[in-house]
Amino acid sequence: MSDTGPLISLESLPTGFRWIRSILDRLIIPPTVLDEVAHPYEGRQAFLEEAGLRRPIEVRRPETRSKADPGSGWHVLDEGEQEAISLARELEYPLLIEETAGRRVAKSLGCEVSGIAGLIDRARQDDFLSFAEATEMWRILLKKNRISESLYQSLVQNE
């Protein structure tokens, strides 16, 4: 399950989409997320073709929109984040989400969350990536402003 941010992070990595296809059987996203990530392209199909994601991506609308406590920050989330969180809750799947407010709300609703940096770390721990490969991916994410310096430092010091 993914929100828009992780897909943008994957797009910033030279082999990001190929890499995600190699570690995930499928990736579920709501139609709003697909529209958001496909915006710079000439439509949904153009994005899916260029990214090579037609097969592993399943586009699915949540059956119901989750409701959150008014103090949770739900109201500041965009439609894509709300749909991704709702779908993750509905299917009981982990959620790839990077925005701080979205992560906070998703966690408050019981979702397991990660960003692309965390997914890279998990792949490294499971020996799908070497530490050098993971570090290079994190370095690129840092350079492209997709992760913070403090997150980068905590990840590279874990070895």
Side-chain angles (χ1 to χ4, degrees):
M1 184 72 49
S2 184
D3 180 37
T4 308
L7 296 173
I8 294 169
S9 290
L10 286 170
E11 191 174 39
S12 70
L13 295 170
T15 60
F17 290 127
R18 185 172 64 224
W19 175 74
I20 201 74
R21 286 191 317 266
S22 74
I23 64 163
L24 296 180
D25 293 331
R26 70 180 180 158
L27 184 62
I28 303 170
I29 62 172
T32 303
V33 168
L34 180 55
D35 290 340
E36 289 172 356
V37 77
H39 179 72
Y41 297 83
E42 294 183 23
R44 289 177 172 187
Q45 289 305 322
F47 165 73
L48 293 172
E49 294 286 335
E50 191 166 321
L53 291 175
R54 276 192 340 182
R55 250 192 233 145
I57 284 198
E58 177 184 333
V59 181
R60 186 168 174 175
R61 187 173 308 282
E63 290 184 21
T64 59
R65 186 73 63 93
S66 292
K67 301 271 190 242
D69 182 305
S72 70
W74 183 262
H75 64 284
V76 301
L77 302 181
D78 68 28
E79 188 177 351
E81 290 167 326
Q82 290 180 3
E83 286 185 1
I85 292 168
S86 295
L87 202 50
R89 289 189 71 210
E90 187 177 297
L91 300 175
E92 298 179 0
Y93 283 4
L95 175 64
L96 287 172
I97 188 167
E98 296 180 338
E99 297 79 12
T100 303
R103 290 171 74 92
R104 184 174 35 253
V105 171
K107 286 179 183 179
S108 78
L109 293 171
C111 294
E112 177 187 337
V113 300
S114 178
I116 291 302
L119 197 59
I120 292 168
D121 193 42
R122 188 173 308 144
R124 179 194 61 81
Q125 291 172 19
D126 293 342
D127 294 324
F128 289 112
L129 288 173
S130 69
F131 183 71
E133 291 168 321
T135 299
E136 178 60 15
M137 292 171 88
W138 293 324
R139 188 191 64 72
I140 292 168
L141 292 174
L142 175 65
K143 184 178 174 186
K144 302 274 186 164
N145 294 315
R146 299 303 305 167
I147 62 171
S148 67
E149 177 71 33
S150 61
L151 177 57
Y152 174 79
Q153 290 301 326
S154 70
L155 290 165
V156 297
Q157 291 175 4
N158 276 342
E159 186 58 17

